[in-house]
Amino acid sequence: MDPETVDVLDSVGPRLRALRRARGITLADLATVTGVSESTLSRLESGGRRATLELLLPLARAYDVPLDDLVGAPRTGDPRIHLKPVHRYGMVFVPLSRRPGGTQAFKMIIPARPEPLEPTPQTHEGVEWLYVLNGRLRLVVGDRDLTLSAGEAAEFDTSIPHWLGSRDGATVELLILFGPQGTRAHLRTTPHTPAHHNET
């Protein structure tokens, strides 16, 4: 094995440990999600176990990051960004950032519908920032019911009950920044969590 490959593989363990801690996930939780034993995950992070594709694939799925990010592979010369939309709650989230952990940027699309939905406010930890690109956004935060048009931005504490939707039923497009808690709340919901359309 060439020295460059050895260096890449040796760096995987510390990268995995940093990513797990940034996400606030325990080894036990990760073992449950991936099906990889807790002891194997521990040895992988400490360097006692060499990374293999069989181990890295379930971890990449669990963290929802490209495999390249786990091994620290250099980017190719292709400047194009390959976006993979995520569909949740009747809305579309297009990831615009690739950095594991921390704040994540998304383009969010609220599709048109015959009648606007009634708000179903939700709460979670963190702060969200948004910028309306197109359409008329209805933003409910606590007892405030606001309408934001293209070019307007908002920032709010997501521990306050909040909801996003279309004011008039037409399509709304916006840029939105989620912290780690917001990303989990919006995009990592388990099948047992009730899904409400057009909520954040």
Side-chain angles (χ1 to χ4, degrees):
M1 190 178 297
D2 64 89
E4 184 176 353
T5 301
V6 172
D7 289 343
V8 169
L9 291 177
D10 286 346
S11 70
V12 171
R15 184 174 289 105
L16 290 174
R17 181 185 290 111
L19 177 57
R20 179 175 59 79
R21 289 177 176 174
R23 297 289 181 90
I25 301 172
T26 66
L27 282 172
D29 291 338
L30 192 58
T32 300
V33 172
T34 61
V36 179
S37 72
E38 189 174 342
S39 62
T40 297
L41 291 171
S42 177
R43 287 188 292 125
L44 186 60
E45 289 187 359
S46 66
R49 175 73 180 267
R50 181 60 56 82
T52 64
L53 191 59
E54 184 180 8
L55 292 174
L56 292 178
L57 281 176
L59 288 170
R61 285 194 293 267
Y63 290 127
D64 194 25
V65 298
L67 191 60
D68 286 354
D69 285 0
L70 295 186
V71 299
R75 301 291 182 205
T76 66
D78 187 346
R80 293 174 296 180
I81 300 175
H82 302 283
L83 305 176
K84 183 181 179 182
V86 178
H87 298 264
R88 290 289 186 275
Y89 313 119
M91 297 182 288
V92 181
F93 298 85
V94 183
L96 302 177
S97 59
R98 296 165 58 94
R99 183 170 64 89
T103 301
Q104 300 289 345
F106 294 85
K107 179 178 180 180
M108 179 175 158
I109 302 169
I110 303 173
R113 53 187 307 116
E115 295 290 337
L117 292 174
E118 287 302 311
T120 52
Q122 301 292 308
T123 62
H124 55 83
E125 295 180 12
V127 174
E128 287 180 17
W129 179 92
L130 59 85
Y131 176 87
V132 181
L133 296 170
N134 184 50
R136 299 175 70 236
L137 175 73
R138 183 180 182 186
L139 171 62
V140 176
V141 181
D143 58 1
R144 303 191 67 182
D145 192 333
L146 308 171
T147 299
L148 280 71
S149 300
E152 292 189 287
E155 183 178 15
F156 53 92
D157 181 345
T158 54
S159 65
I160 301 171
H162 61 283
W163 178 88
L164 303 180
S166 173
R167 173 58 74 179
D168 52 17
T171 300
V172 181
E173 299 181 2
L174 57 147
L175 297 177
I176 190 161
L177 301 181
F178 294 132
Q181 303 95 336
T183 302
R184 285 195 292 271
H186 291 284
L187 305 175
R188 310 281 188 276
T189 305
T190 66
H192 301 291
T193 301
H196 299 285
H197 291 297
N198 282 27
E199 66 184 25
T200 77

